[in-house]
Amino acid sequence: MLNEKIIETITIEEVDFIIIEKAKTIYAGSYFVAPDLNSEPDIDASWQWFQDNKNKIIDSITPDCMICLSIDYALDRSTAERPYAMLHGQETSNPNQPKDVHVIESEPTMLIKVKSTNAAWALTKKLTGLDSPWHNAPLFTLIRTIFEGDKYSYTFNGCRQKGNEEAEYFYFNGDIYVTVPVKRKS
């Protein structure tokens, strides 16, 4: 991923958790919003749009990757003011995209990133009881389980202007990473 500065790498049971500072990022692709607070967006339609239209994205800086932003999924539904949203797309250097390509700008933030590996899934099952390698959401839970406690003093970054985005990075070579936006506790 571009626009990143590695702050540190913390290795736990052979799993590397990379803490990064990410500059303002422009994402372009499909953007689908749930019809109400109790529903999910049409994830399949968003994915299909990306597959059919990824070549329309202008000035992609991650052309070897599909990024899936899960927007506001980590918020408490009982107090949420916005429905869930999903973007399948890529990072770009150009906010001016064709009219059917949606653009989301993410403010600078700190992220914790982990690669989907057998060791990461073993640690996920050990610490959270979750075991679902066909979907990467448990890896988000793994990051929170480890880093939101007192030992590392991070908390979910719920102050992002455009939403609370967790991201899955699917590289076309088969590598998969997940990122969770965080901030240090004061």
Side-chain angles (χ1 to χ4, degrees):
M1 291 182 284
L2 299 176
N3 304 322
E4 294 181 355
K5 177 183 174 189
I6 296 175
I7 303 302
E8 71 177 307
T9 300
I10 298 170
T11 303
I12 301 170
E13 295 188 26
E14 299 180 23
V15 179
D16 290 335
F17 295 89
I18 303 166
I19 291 78
I20 57 177
E21 286 181 352
K22 187 155 179 93
K24 179 179 178 179
T25 304
I26 303 168
Y27 298 97
S30 65
Y31 179 71
F32 281 65
V33 179
D36 56 57
L37 290 174
N38 298 313
S39 302
E40 289 202 30
D42 190 339
I43 295 167
D44 292 333
S46 178
W47 179 87
Q48 188 61 56
W49 184 97
F50 175 78
Q51 296 305 317
D52 295 342
N53 295 282
K54 62 186 170 193
N55 294 329
K56 292 181 182 180
I57 297 171
I58 297 170
D59 299 330
S60 173
I61 55 177
T62 55
D64 61 340
C65 180
M66 177 184 70
I67 301 167
C68 180
L69 289 180
S70 301
I71 303 166
D72 292 334
Y73 273 76
L75 297 180
D76 180 352
R77 286 290 95 193
S78 66
T79 59
E81 297 176 10
R82 299 181 297 229
Y84 298 136
M86 181 72 56
L87 177 124
H88 287 86
Q90 296 177 336
E91 292 181 21
T92 178
S93 60
N94 191 340
N96 300 310
Q97 296 291 321
K99 72 175 187 167
D100 57 339
V101 176
H102 296 100
V103 175
I104 293 177
E105 293 186 22
S106 179
E107 297 301 317
T109 192
M110 183 180 293
L111 298 166
I112 298 178
K113 176 170 76 171
V114 68
K115 185 175 182 178
S116 176
T117 62
N118 289 337
W121 284 105
L123 187 59
T124 300
K125 182 156 178 99
K126 176 181 175 181
L127 297 181
T128 70
L130 300 173
D131 184 23
S132 180
W134 54 271
H135 191 282
N136 292 305
L139 294 175
F140 298 135
T141 303
L142 173 65
I143 292 170
R144 284 201 180 84
T145 299
I146 293 171
F147 290 94
E148 287 191 334
D150 292 332
K151 183 173 181 178
Y152 295 103
S153 299
Y154 290 99
T155 187
F156 177 71
N157 187 0
C159 299
R160 296 183 82 177
Q161 187 179 44
K162 302 287 184 184
N164 303 294
E165 298 103 355
E166 297 169 316
E168 298 169 274
Y169 286 73
F170 297 93
Y171 287 89
F172 299 143
N173 69 1
D175 289 343
I176 299 170
Y177 290 86
V178 301
T179 62
V180 172
V182 295
K183 60 186 172 187
R184 290 194 191 274
K185 291 180 182 176
S186 315

